[in-house]
Amino acid sequence: MINICYLSHNRTEFKKYWRITSHILNNIKPENKDKVKLSILATNEIPEWEQWAPDDIETELVLFEKSDINLMEKIRHAAESDTEYIVKHDEDVFFSSHVWDYIIENIDVLQNEDNLLITPLLSNNIPLVDTFIPSFIEDEEIRNKMNSLFASQEMPNGLWGVDYSPLNEYTINATEWNPEAYYAGVSNLPTNFKGIHPMRICAEAQIVLNDYILDNFDKMLAKHEYGFAEMAQPYFTTSTFFMRTETLAKIVNMTAYDAFEEVQLNMYRHEYNKKLLYVSNGFGIHTMYNTVYGNKNIWNIGMEDGYTYEVNLVESINQKLGL
């Protein structure tokens, strides 16, 4: 059994996000619905959640005390699940029912202790954005635009208390974007906070990619030939993943470095030499990083009202789905 732990934060537009995920889960195969249950781990009371609950999937709402960041409480709750597997599912991530079916039907690859997790091929993700772009984008001009934006992004000194400016060797001081060289540079940073990429701090790149996805949304929903591939890059940002519950319990018991589970997960991966698997052609959307929600910072990162942009993007996805 798989417990899908849907992490709802403080977004006031919960329904717009929730009905997309519910719609997608409603379209997985009936036999796969029998293999999952759904836990909505919420910060705010959600009076309309049952209206959009997927059919034939056991669903519960678990409320947590209001706070700016209570993600680790929710992760710990997920790690105490009585199911063999859990899904950490941030509310700003969407992937097709076909990808859900493929992962559910092949979840036993996690019985191999070498494999730490499975994730879709997400658009706005470190490191998967550099795989998503050549896999999903067919327009060479857009691919070149994305790579140009990466290469022209100045890397900040002081973001999250880390000096990322040595990575300018691979961006503004390079002649072209080379992801392999970039990730080698990230590996050499003297910090555990290696979740940095031009995509995460470049609002324009996130907008260009989202616009292309909306214009080619049928490809996002279509069924493709799937397989598992391994991420070799040094760091993974954990918007969504499938994992053995007992493994997540070990990770949350590690020393915490911030209010999230991401650093510990990546440290566990390296300490025990685990593999991170993604679904090739298993396209998914991560709407945007909250790093670009505003632009009132010394590095001029972000956009004036990134949250409003994201809500409008999610509404556009609703419209694409006829919701």
Side-chain angles (χ1 to χ4, degrees), residues 234-260:
Y235 197 92
F236 166 63
T237 51
T238 58
S239 298
T240 192
F241 57 80
F242 294 65
M243 180 181 285
R244 292 180 67 174
T245 306
E246 64 181 11
T247 305
L248 182 62
K250 294 174 184 177
I251 291 170
V252 299
N253 285 326
M254 294 174 66
T255 300
Y257 288 82
D258 56 16
F260 307 92

Side-chain angles (χ1 to χ4, degrees), residues 125-134 143 146-148 150-151 167 170-171 174 176-187 196-198 232-234:
N125 174 268
I126 301 170
L128 292 176
V129 63
D130 287 297
T131 304
F132 183 94
I133 289 170
R143 290 199 301 268
M146 294 295 298
N147 290 333
S148 175
F150 294 164
L167 298 175
Y170 312 102
T171 60
E176 62 181 4
W177 174 246
N178 182 332
E180 290 78 17
Y182 175 82
Y183 289 117
V186 170
S187 293
I196 188 68
H197 187 285
Q233 298 89 341

Side-chain angles (χ1 to χ4, degrees), residues 20 94 214 217 285 287 312-323:
I20 295 172
F94 313 108
L214 287 177
F217 203 73
I285 307 167
T287 54
N312 290 336
L313 169 65
V314 171
E315 178 57 33
S316 295
I317 295 171
N318 273 271
Q319 292 173 11
K320 291 286 184 180
L321 294 171
L323 301 177

